[in-house]
Amino acid sequence: MTADLAKDFEEVRDITVIGAGPVGLSAAFWAGMREASSRIIDSLPEIGGQLTTLYPEKWVFDVPGHPRVLAKDLVELHRRQTLEQFDVPVHLDTTAESLGYEPDPDDPDKKIVVLHTDRGELRSRTVIVAGGHGAFEPKKLPGFDMSAWEGRGAYYLVGEKREFEGKRVLIIGGGDSACDWVINLLDTAERVVLVHRREGFRAHEATVNQVMEAHGAGRIDLHVPYQVKDVWGNGSVESVTLFHSEDETQVVEVPCDAILLQLGFKTALGPLKDWGFEIEKGAVKVDQLFKTSLDQVWACGDLTTFEGKLKLIATGYAEAAIAVAQAVHFIRPEMKIQPKYSTNTGVPGVVEGQP
């Protein structure tokens, strides 16, 4: 793989995809289906984006064709569909720092896009940015500094559910992630406690209903509206003192072995914000064909914005297909926008009947 990646720095590919999350992997798949050469780069050490980094063992319920699928399993399916079938070079731990142009050596009237990374320059005829939310980091708990307990029982991410096996887990938050982990850890943790500083929840109604049903059945403890007053423990977390949001004299002490903070993430475009994109509310603005304000650059996925935008994996897949179709048509104008149906063509380069 190292030799292949080294050689790839010398290649001019049709499409460079920035981002190895599900939408970026989908974009590289569509490039392969349109017989366009591609590569993927990502600043993270593994493919999968947020699916791998934030919640590999959470169930994803809104991917068409899957009643539910573990995030890490969805990434593996993408790996097989894209990387195995089309032998796409993937540059991980590689940050795209800036973007420029140079004349195409085969046609001086055209330009090549030069992507300057922290590992060297990568050249392609087009670029598709599919970097999810961009750079992200967990939001800290307001009102109480949890940093002293980080690594001693306080978690922001869940790598493997078994980390919480047999433990008393106190989850803090009121959004989708907090409620999802309540449900996901029911059969793993010894006991689950959910704490939220407000009465209402921001999570999807169906998930909130599951949480309330579990509480009604005595399977979880619920403290709302409560906030963290203090954390106790000898070397690691042993209990948390909570106070009522509307009456600080009301306090309750909750024994626990782990605190899972699910307060959302701060997102930022990172170096992309200085590339010259038209930015709107912290996102890259695209037109109805997912073209950005930069020449030969399209974008898709959660980092984009346009009227009617939905931040879903399902819509990201569709955006990727459209962006690739436009990029391929730009490179080869004789190519039709509408691809032929895979039921008729199969996968280019793959013998029918072979896995």
Side-chain angles (χ1 to χ4, degrees), residues 207-257:
T207 312
V208 174
N209 288 339
Q210 285 182 284
V211 170
M212 299 312 293
E213 286 173 8
H215 176 55
R219 300 185 67 195
I220 69 164
D221 297 320
L222 184 63
H223 294 285
V224 292
Y226 275 85
Q227 300 179 51
V228 174
K229 180 180 178 67
D230 215 337
V231 179
W232 307 94
N234 183 15
S236 61
V237 171
E238 295 177 8
S239 69
V240 175
T241 302
L242 305 173
F243 69 88
H244 196 282
S245 296
E246 297 169 3
D247 181 1
E248 294 191 20
T249 64
Q250 292 188 40
V251 296
V252 59
E253 185 160 336
V254 181
C256 63
D257 307 300

Side-chain angles (χ1 to χ4, degrees), residues 156-220:
Y156 294 95
L157 305 174
V158 180
E160 295 183 343
K161 284 169 59 175
R162 64 185 179 189
E163 293 180 65
F164 300 101
E165 191 166 353
K167 292 184 178 180
R168 300 164 297 176
V169 182
L170 185 143
I171 299 174
I172 301 175
D176 285 309
S177 291
C179 291
D180 284 346
W181 277 119
V182 169
I183 303 304
N184 270 287
L185 291 176
L186 276 177
D187 297 324
T188 302
E190 177 186 316
R191 190 70 182 174
V192 176
V193 180
L194 178 61
V195 178
H196 185 38
R197 61 180 177 172
R198 289 189 287 269
E199 289 279 0
F201 292 93
R202 304 184 310 279
H204 193 279
E205 293 92 334
T207 312
V208 174
N209 288 339
Q210 285 182 284
V211 170
M212 299 312 293
E213 286 173 8
H215 176 55
R219 300 185 67 195
I220 69 164

Side-chain angles (χ1 to χ4, degrees), residues 324-335:
V324 169
Q326 294 297 317
V328 171
H329 184 64
F330 170 84
I331 298 166
R332 294 186 276 277
E334 72 280 3
M335 292 278 289

